[in-house]
Amino acid sequence: MKENSDSNDGNLIGQFGVGFYSVFLVADRITVASKNDASDKQWVWESTGDGTYWIYEDERGNTLGRGTELTLQLKRDADEYLDTDKIKEIVHKYSEFIQFPIFVEITKTEKVPKTKSEGDDEKPESDDADDNKEEETEEVTKTEWERINENKPIWTRKVTDISDDEYNQFYKSMTKDYADPLYYTHFSAEGGMVFTSILYIPPRAPTNVFDPTATQNNIRLYVRRVFITDEFRDLLPRYLNFIRGVVDSDDLPLHVSREILQENRILKVIKKNLVRKALTMISDIAESDRKLDGSDDKEDKDEDEEKESTGSKKLSAATYGKFWEEYGKALRLGMIEDGNNRARLTKLLRYRSSRAEDKWVSLQDYVSRMPKKQKAIYYVSGESIEKIRQSPVLEDATRRDIEVIYMTDAIDEYVVGHITDFSGKKLVNLAKEGANFDEESKKDKAIATKRKEKYTPLFNWYRDLLGEKVTKVVITKRKTSEPLIISSRQHDITARMANIIKGQALGDKQAHEQTTKRVLELNHIHPLIDEVFKRIQVDPKDKLAEDLALVLFDTANLQNGFDIEDTLAYSRRINRMLRAGVDIAPDAPLIEEDLSQYEVEDEDEEEPEKDKSEAEDSDEL
């Protein structure tokens, strides 16, 4: 040990005491024979693990020459460790990459030519007919030493000396995946501490990537090339648990439990670096796509990054779209859970839009092509692009040629709640009230005030008719061909969010009903609204006006994603209005059908003919 203290080999392991006493978990008695090259004697240390031990000169003499030999007398329930395959499994898991060779004695059975006895030598040579006779063989059992840790740790080599094929093969051997990784990065962090890591992005998202109960063995932690564990839940945050890789540190201790290691300060520094590097790796994929598209608006890297030696996969085709389709939901989850990296994650978000339905668009792409007078980023959330296209709130933006982002994932509205703005532009949901594309002049505001005074009776009448179904009634500022638009208040959830909550297994139905209050936006220049207004000015209890107003309200609910509370009443009103449209009395009964107009044969007349035919057949028999 004293001689080793002068050595510069920082990776020297296997020193007596590091993990040694774990052998008492499987053995009743341990015997250690050791021979120092500088001494002529061979010594034995022996113990049963009860606190006592014996040291004596080995009565066998110098059998080792140099080195140490451990002999374990296994417990009765530990005989599985007598199996060679079990020993290989343990070595491959924990000591596959250490620099010291590990050999296991294996037994092989081979076929060899049969040895001739003395009697066989005296026999006369066989005839020519026996020349083609196969040579007799026999099975022989042999023992030999086989090295089982021949794999070299790829992460300890220089980046410039490793090919893409070697990185891919290492990924496949580590993950048992048959496909090449989507992307990888190999780096060594230096500065306050030193560690080396290779991180991979698999080509497909794991099926249990969002299962909190599943054990994610995604990062294998090594200390000086000795495997420690792959069961750290906090080495990467939940939204990055799809990333696979290895981390090897010289600064972590070998001789502590995993529980203590979990609280180690060095491990927390490693986690911070891994998260930052993982996000940089994802940003590099996006940057590669921009370069392939001919764009050179490279995002700024963090100024506080530690000095690193980095190697990564060179991409020759656009890859971020595929990455987003596999892992976009994970990054959205990160927007909710990781406030420290939210700004970086926001740049990685991708959506479809009204100008790019077949292409993924970043918020930076959207902002870069906004008109100068546009003050906000507009979006609509829906089940699909087809559903969003049918939304009445999209019509005004389409007419004005304003790009709208389509958000089709259930988690999108949760995510937007954590984005206050991007590049100085607020995100505005067109499904909420107050979506205004133009700044109002003083004249426009004065006209709006006079208009509100004129239609106040209509507001009050509609509010009395609908009761608590709406929170307020206003004149819409949208340029729309629809008579009504139903929106949500700024601080209430939208119809889309309400449906998501309702569909969740633990959704609070009462809570969602209380918060999905609706704002009724009237299009005062629509002829149907104008007709209702004229009728109630004459008679506030006009039945046709009530039916028309309620049908318009329920129809707007369907168009804007809200539920209709009374579908039976809705269908009856539609029925009454259809009758009125074709001059049928509201109480007109069902007509009586004249069956004589249908010429069919009477079944009673066919029966006698059938009986007569059956009787004739019976007589013939």
mmCIF file of all heavy atoms in Angstrom, residues 43 58 63 158 287 356 456 463 585 598:
data_model
loop_
_atom_site.group_PDB
_atom_site.id
_atom_site.type_symbol
_atom_site.label_atom_id
_atom_site.label_comp_id
_atom_site.label_asym_id
_atom_site.label_seq_id
_atom_site.Cartn_x
_atom_site.Cartn_y
_atom_site.Cartn_z
ATOM 1 N N TRP A 43 1.097 -15.992 4.187
ATOM 2 C CA TRP A 43 0.288 -15.864 5.388
ATOM 3 C C TRP A 43 -1.191 -16.077 5.068
ATOM 4 O O TRP A 43 -1.643 -15.869 3.937
ATOM 5 C CB TRP A 43 0.491 -14.485 6.016
ATOM 6 C CG TRP A 43 1.881 -14.289 6.550
ATOM 7 C CD1 TRP A 43 2.963 -13.794 5.885
ATOM 8 C CD2 TRP A 43 2.339 -14.628 7.846
ATOM 9 N NE1 TRP A 43 4.074 -13.787 6.669
ATOM 10 C CE2 TRP A 43 3.724 -14.290 7.907
ATOM 11 C CE3 TRP A 43 1.758 -15.178 8.986
ATOM 12 C CZ2 TRP A 43 4.493 -14.495 9.037
ATOM 13 C CZ3 TRP A 43 2.531 -15.365 10.117
ATOM 14 C CH2 TRP A 43 3.875 -15.029 10.147
ATOM 15 N N ASP A 58 0.945 -19.887 6.418
ATOM 16 C CA ASP A 58 0.300 -20.927 5.630
ATOM 17 C C ASP A 58 1.119 -22.214 5.699
ATOM 18 O O ASP A 58 2.303 -22.231 5.330
ATOM 19 C CB ASP A 58 0.148 -20.451 4.175
ATOM 20 C CG ASP A 58 -0.851 -21.276 3.400
ATOM 21 O OD1 ASP A 58 -1.116 -22.422 3.807
ATOM 22 O OD2 ASP A 58 -1.384 -20.774 2.385
ATOM 23 N N THR A 63 2.585 -21.333 -2.092
ATOM 24 C CA THR A 63 1.817 -21.877 -3.230
ATOM 25 C C THR A 63 1.435 -20.806 -4.235
ATOM 26 O O THR A 63 1.049 -21.105 -5.369
ATOM 27 C CB THR A 63 0.534 -22.548 -2.723
ATOM 28 O OG1 THR A 63 -0.275 -21.571 -2.047
ATOM 29 C CG2 THR A 63 0.861 -23.694 -1.778
ATOM 30 N N LYS A 158 -10.060 8.760 -26.382
ATOM 31 C CA LYS A 158 -10.228 10.076 -26.970
ATOM 32 C C LYS A 158 -11.368 10.056 -27.987
ATOM 33 O O LYS A 158 -11.565 9.068 -28.692
ATOM 34 C CB LYS A 158 -8.934 10.509 -27.669
ATOM 35 C CG LYS A 158 -7.786 10.787 -26.717
ATOM 36 C CD LYS A 158 -6.572 11.287 -27.493
ATOM 37 C CE LYS A 158 -5.413 11.610 -26.549
ATOM 38 N NZ LYS A 158 -4.213 12.082 -27.283
ATOM 39 N N GLU A 287 -30.309 22.565 -34.060
ATOM 40 C CA GLU A 287 -29.371 23.414 -34.781
ATOM 41 C C GLU A 287 -28.919 22.755 -36.078
ATOM 42 O O GLU A 287 -28.766 23.415 -37.115
ATOM 43 C CB GLU A 287 -28.165 23.715 -33.891
ATOM 44 C CG GLU A 287 -27.089 24.565 -34.539
ATOM 45 C CD GLU A 287 -27.579 25.953 -34.887
ATOM 46 O OE1 GLU A 287 -28.531 26.426 -34.239
ATOM 47 O OE2 GLU A 287 -27.023 26.552 -35.820
ATOM 48 N N ALA A 356 -48.001 26.347 -41.721
ATOM 49 C CA ALA A 356 -47.108 25.190 -41.859
ATOM 50 C C ALA A 356 -47.768 23.980 -41.207
ATOM 51 O O ALA A 356 -47.321 23.503 -40.168
ATOM 52 C CB ALA A 356 -45.750 25.483 -41.231
ATOM 53 N N THR A 456 -77.439 47.312 -24.977
ATOM 54 C CA THR A 456 -77.582 46.898 -23.581
ATOM 55 C C THR A 456 -78.881 46.133 -23.329
ATOM 56 O O THR A 456 -78.877 45.130 -22.592
ATOM 57 C CB THR A 456 -77.478 48.122 -22.652
ATOM 58 O OG1 THR A 456 -76.163 48.687 -22.764
ATOM 59 C CG2 THR A 456 -77.730 47.728 -21.194
ATOM 60 N N ARG A 463 -78.933 37.665 -21.021
ATOM 61 C CA ARG A 463 -78.413 37.221 -19.721
ATOM 62 C C ARG A 463 -79.542 36.649 -18.869
ATOM 63 O O ARG A 463 -79.364 35.626 -18.184
ATOM 64 C CB ARG A 463 -77.729 38.392 -19.007
ATOM 65 C CG ARG A 463 -76.899 37.965 -17.794
ATOM 66 C CD ARG A 463 -76.210 39.144 -17.130
ATOM 67 N NE ARG A 463 -75.257 39.788 -18.028
ATOM 68 C CZ ARG A 463 -75.415 40.985 -18.569
ATOM 69 N NH1 ARG A 463 -76.519 41.690 -18.316
ATOM 70 N NH2 ARG A 463 -74.514 41.505 -19.365
ATOM 71 N N ALA A 585 -97.655 23.472 -38.753
ATOM 72 C CA ALA A 585 -98.078 23.912 -37.426
ATOM 73 C C ALA A 585 -97.222 23.238 -36.356
ATOM 74 O O ALA A 585 -96.889 22.057 -36.489
ATOM 75 C CB ALA A 585 -99.554 23.598 -37.201
ATOM 76 N N TYR A 598 -99.811 0.051 -50.856
ATOM 77 C CA TYR A 598 -98.759 -0.942 -51.051
ATOM 78 C C TYR A 598 -99.398 -2.261 -51.511
ATOM 79 O O TYR A 598 -100.182 -2.868 -50.776
ATOM 80 C CB TYR A 598 -97.972 -1.169 -49.757
ATOM 81 C CG TYR A 598 -97.453 0.110 -49.146
ATOM 82 C CD1 TYR A 598 -97.943 0.549 -47.917
ATOM 83 C CD2 TYR A 598 -96.496 0.881 -49.795
ATOM 84 C CE1 TYR A 598 -97.478 1.711 -47.341
ATOM 85 C CE2 TYR A 598 -96.031 2.045 -49.232
ATOM 86 C CZ TYR A 598 -96.513 2.465 -48.013
ATOM 87 O OH TYR A 598 -96.057 3.632 -47.448
#
